[in-house]
Amino acid sequence: MFGRRRKDRGSNVDATDAASAGDLGAYDEPADEEYDEYATGSAADSGPYDIDEVDEETVTASRLDLGSVLVPLPAGGQIQVEMAPNGTPQNVHLVTQFGRITVSAYAAPKSPGQWREVAAELAETLRNDKAEVSIESGPWGRELHGRTANADLRFIGVDGFRWMIRCVVAAPPGNAGADSELVGIARSVISGTVVRRGSEPHPVRTPLPIVLPEALTRQLVAAQQQQQQAAAQQQQQGTAQPQQGATSGQPAPRTASPAQPAQKTQQVPPARQTPPRRGESGSAMQQLGF
């Protein structure tokens, strides 16, 4: 199923990384023999893969195809789609009993090193959000572990050929440690992820577009219809109460005009409406909903 890896796909962190880490502090890249093994084998020798390295028909049949990324679903996991204000899919979360995993692909230059820059900026914004941040060694290099009163976060990045993967692990406090069940699952997901970068030009750091499978799109449409029906029923119940009060001689309470549509509420799972973000350089906690 898997072919030869691109030879120009470099290491996630180069030999000068410890000296140039800046406010991240000293960082030691683990030796190859120290890498842990996950579901798809040694993480250093397995994925994530470029679509050109694999048989596309095979991986499409065994993964959730989101257009720019194809991700394996963890056992017992559920899918939650986060919609942008314009109605397009913004993120697809894999929800497990331990927490949430979000794998996204971004445009990057041919040479590695984008994750190192992104990680430094994420660490700064996390600290600005009063989070406790530590830099830890993982199978693909540096990982960020952020701890707040409300949640634990772990950011895992991988540099590829003209793409970069960022995985966000979100869990209740104390559940995103390096040895936690959730992080082990997340690393297995990353190791089996395939990136479909495409040939279209994208500015570096631009999120690669998400395209939902047809079946998932139908579920979203059905969820929206259910929400609209529920809102219509609530409006009908609200307008029926004044008529009952009028027949008993009691003054009718004020209600919205039947001609006015009920205010839209948040979409029911798996879709979730979120406010506009401040962009990749904005608050990391705001981007994640914390």
Side-chain angles (χ1 to χ4, degrees):
M1 177 177 69
F2 300 106
R4 180 179 296 275
R5 185 180 305 278
R6 291 183 185 270
K7 292 183 179 180
D8 53 357
R9 175 178 167 186
S11 169
N12 200 34
V13 182
D14 58 28
T16 63
D17 192 37
S20 61
D23 66 347
L24 293 178
Y27 175 81
D28 294 326
E29 183 78 356
D32 288 347
E33 60 270 14
E34 295 177 349
Y35 287 151
D36 294 332
E37 291 187 354
Y38 302 100
T40 55
S42 173
D45 297 328
S46 61
Y49 298 93
D50 190 278
I51 193 67
D52 293 338
E53 300 174 308
V54 303
D55 180 78
E56 185 169 357
E57 183 177 353
T58 302
V59 298
T60 301
S62 60
R63 286 162 175 76
L64 175 64
D65 188 347
L66 299 174
S68 55
V69 289
L70 295 84
V71 295
L73 294 178
Q78 296 180 345
I79 301 170
Q80 185 182 63
V81 180
E82 180 182 341
M83 305 299 290
N86 63 2
T88 60
Q90 186 166 258
N91 279 306
V92 176
H93 308 293
L94 307 180
V95 182
T96 75
Q97 61 176 319
F98 306 105
R100 191 179 74 186
I101 301 167
T102 308
V103 178
S104 305
Y106 295 81
K110 294 181 180 179
S111 58
Q114 180 165 293
W115 168 242
R116 181 179 61 200
E117 300 174 359
V118 171
E121 295 172 5
L122 281 171
E124 181 180 358
T125 55
L126 284 168
R127 294 188 181 109
N128 290 338
D129 289 333
K130 310 303 181 182
E132 181 183 350
V133 181
S134 60
I135 313 302
E136 300 178 2
S137 174
W140 296 277
R142 65 179 57 211
E143 298 179 1
L144 300 183
H145 186 195
R147 295 172 293 278
T148 71
N150 299 321
D152 264 24
L153 304 171
R154 180 172 293 266
F155 296 83
I156 305 173
V158 184
D159 286 324
F161 180 73
R162 298 178 64 226
W163 51 259
M164 182 199 79
I165 277 183
R166 186 188 74 172
C167 175
V168 183
V169 180
N175 288 275
D179 298 327
S180 67
E181 292 281 351
L182 182 61
V183 171
I185 295 172
R187 288 170 174 166
S188 294
V189 169
I190 297 171
S191 186
T193 292
V194 177
V195 178
R196 188 189 284 117
R197 165 63 174 78
S199 58
E200 297 82 2
H202 295 285
V204 295
R205 299 196 182 194
T206 301
L208 298 180
I210 295 174
V211 180
L212 299 180
E214 183 178 351
L216 189 55
T217 300
R218 289 197 300 266
Q219 293 180 15
L220 288 173
V221 172
Q224 292 173 347
Q225 292 175 346
Q226 291 178 357
Q227 179 189 16
Q228 293 171 355
Q229 292 174 357
Q233 290 176 355
Q234 291 178 355
Q235 185 181 20
Q236 290 176 356
Q237 292 174 357
T239 57
Q241 291 177 357
Q243 296 176 358
Q244 295 175 356
T247 57
S248 60
Q250 298 296 327
R254 293 185 178 180
T255 61
S257 170
Q260 297 177 352
Q263 185 177 2
K264 292 184 179 180
T265 59
Q266 291 184 343
Q267 296 180 0
V268 297
R272 184 165 61 89
Q273 194 77 15
T274 56
R277 295 186 177 190
R278 290 168 49 185
E280 289 303 313
S281 61
S283 167
M285 302 300 288
Q286 287 185 351
Q287 291 180 29
L288 296 169
F290 296 104

